[in-house]
Amino acid sequence: MRPDTPAEHTAEAERLIRTATRYPEDQEPLLLQAAAHLELADARERASALYDQLLSSSPANPHLIKALQAANLWEYGHEAEARALISGIRAAAPTDPAPWEVIAEALESHDELEASHECFTEAATLLTSEDTPLTHATTALLTGRHRVRRLLALPHDDWDMVADTRHTGPIPLDELHDPKRIWALGSNDPAELRAEIARLRAELGDRRAALSRPFPVAILHWPARELSELLTSYPTLSTEYPTREAHLKSVESSLRALSASGTTNLGIVTGSVPSYEAFAASEKTSPASPALLPEYATTLAARGKATPWPPTPTAPCWCTSGKPYAECHGADRTT
């Protein structure tokens, strides 16, 4: 069950902080999740302390942490410090889209629309080009920029057209970002109210679907040596993994089935016996339990260990054979 109340968010943050002490190599993603839960619990000073802790330890993503810190500080009265962090991020011009999106949305949420538009535009200029394919993250930047431009009543430009084209939701992006939509909520016309409620329900459904899957839906892959050690130590798991070949076939077929059903954000996580045993100990469950395997996969994905699937046809296959994916497990890929 997902946390919902401040107390539940605080409890989840405490769990993540404890987990970070057991897995210091994964401290950064775990503490970032903990800080997010503390913000949702309105414990913003504690969240700020976690961001400071991360920034003092040579993090992998300092600009993202600074962006999240800026957004959090502004929410509880530290506007000047937040603005200084935002200015520093803009001056650094990171090539990761995430910090740009966070600071642009922070400015937008505080009615700094012109500055937000400048941030989104700087990021788009820096990170998109005719020779660079759009990713989900850079598309999100263009979508945010589209929204702010609609609020500023600016005419469509080329990037707005791209955002419109990439949008796949049931409500057109122009309509979704129309400032006039909010006026309909105060209308006395039942037809207008019903139409707006229907739009909001569709929008909420999309948002819930996104929130229900914050990490990749990941399938667990065991390299040959690890699988051999796993089955030697826990022979009851041979029902799950009768042979190495069957295991590899199952990974690929499971991912294809998920893809065919419309599931997105798919990935593969690689297991190791020591990591699996440590996870079992933390869950106070026997590693011989097959029911623990999907929980282990989900936890690895939540810790940022998932590799996106499918690989490109020329990329090495996920099975570590060394062959291109198109010549290995992707050879007969039809989805």
Side-chain angles (χ1 to χ4, degrees):
M1 184 175 179
R2 297 183 65 84
D4 188 40
T5 66
E8 289 171 340
H9 282 294
T10 300
E12 180 63 11
E14 298 289 1
R15 186 190 70 80
L16 289 164
I17 292 169
R18 290 194 300 271
T19 304
T21 64
R22 296 199 299 269
Y23 300 99
E25 72 278 11
D26 298 316
Q27 174 178 274
E28 188 170 329
L30 289 167
L31 291 186
L32 283 177
Q33 292 175 57
H37 281 289
L38 289 172
E39 289 189 35
L40 291 168
D42 204 27
R44 292 191 175 275
E45 291 191 21
R46 285 195 65 197
S48 186
L50 284 184
Y51 292 133
D52 286 339
Q53 177 182 335
L54 284 167
L55 289 170
S56 69
S57 61
S58 302
N61 298 297
H63 296 303
L64 175 59
I65 297 169
K66 289 179 180 179
L68 293 168
Q69 174 74 298
N72 180 56
L73 286 168
W74 203 334
E75 290 298 324
Y76 73 106
H78 297 271
E79 179 181 339
E81 191 174 349
R83 287 184 181 277
L85 285 168
I86 290 172
S87 296
I89 293 166
R90 293 177 69 176
T95 55
D96 177 10
W100 287 105
E101 185 173 12
V102 172
I103 62 174
E105 289 186 348
L107 290 163
E108 178 189 356
S109 69
H110 291 279
D111 295 323
E112 300 277 346
L113 296 181
E114 292 286 356
S116 176
H117 178 252
E118 290 174 6
C119 273
F120 275 125
T121 302
E122 286 172 21
T125 303
L126 178 68
L127 302 176
T128 65
S129 70
E130 292 182 359
D131 300 325
T132 306
L134 282 174
T135 64
H136 178 77
T138 50
T139 299
L141 285 175
L142 297 184
T143 301
R145 182 177 180 275
H146 182 289
R147 180 181 61 250
V148 171
R149 288 175 64 81
R150 290 286 280 143
L151 291 169
L152 290 169
L154 296 174
H156 267 33
D157 63 8
D158 289 344
W159 277 329
D160 289 327
M161 296 298 184
V162 172
D164 283 331
T165 303
R166 299 278 294 190
H167 179 64
T168 59
I171 304 169
L173 207 55
D174 267 349
E175 183 179 351
L176 190 65
H177 293 164
D178 186 354
K180 294 180 181 179
R181 288 186 64 192
I182 195 66
W183 301 346
L185 294 175
S187 172
N188 292 322
D189 185 339
E192 287 186 3
L193 287 172
R194 283 194 295 270
E196 184 60 20
I197 289 170
R199 285 193 291 266
L200 289 172
R201 281 177 173 166
E203 189 176 335
L204 180 60
D206 284 351
R207 183 63 175 162
R208 280 177 172 166
L211 288 174
S212 69
R213 195 170 296 122
F215 310 109
V217 177
I219 300 297
L220 182 59
H221 163 235
W222 295 94
R225 182 178 298 179
E226 296 291 337
L227 182 61
S228 176
E229 182 180 345
L230 180 76
L231 296 179
T232 299
S233 301
Y234 309 105
T236 58
L237 295 181
S238 61
T239 56
E240 297 291 320
Y241 308 118
T243 65
R244 164 77 173 158
E245 291 70 23
H247 168 50
L248 297 180
K249 183 177 180 180
S250 174
V251 171
E252 180 73 18
S253 62
S254 296
L255 287 163
R256 293 191 189 192
L258 286 167
S259 178
S261 71
T263 303
T264 58
N265 202 21
L266 297 172
I268 294 175
V269 289
T270 300
S272 73
V273 174
S275 167
Y276 179 60
E277 289 175 335
F279 175 73
S282 71
E283 296 295 315
K284 298 180 180 179
T285 303
S286 168
S289 171
L292 191 65
L293 295 167
E295 295 179 26
Y296 175 55
T298 299
T299 300
L300 289 178
R303 287 161 53 194
K305 301 296 185 181
T307 300
W309 179 94
T312 61
T314 56
C317 188
W318 55 263
C319 73
T320 70
S321 66
K323 298 179 182 179
Y325 177 63
E327 298 175 17
C328 194
H329 282 88
D332 60 345
R333 178 169 166 78
T334 58
T335 60

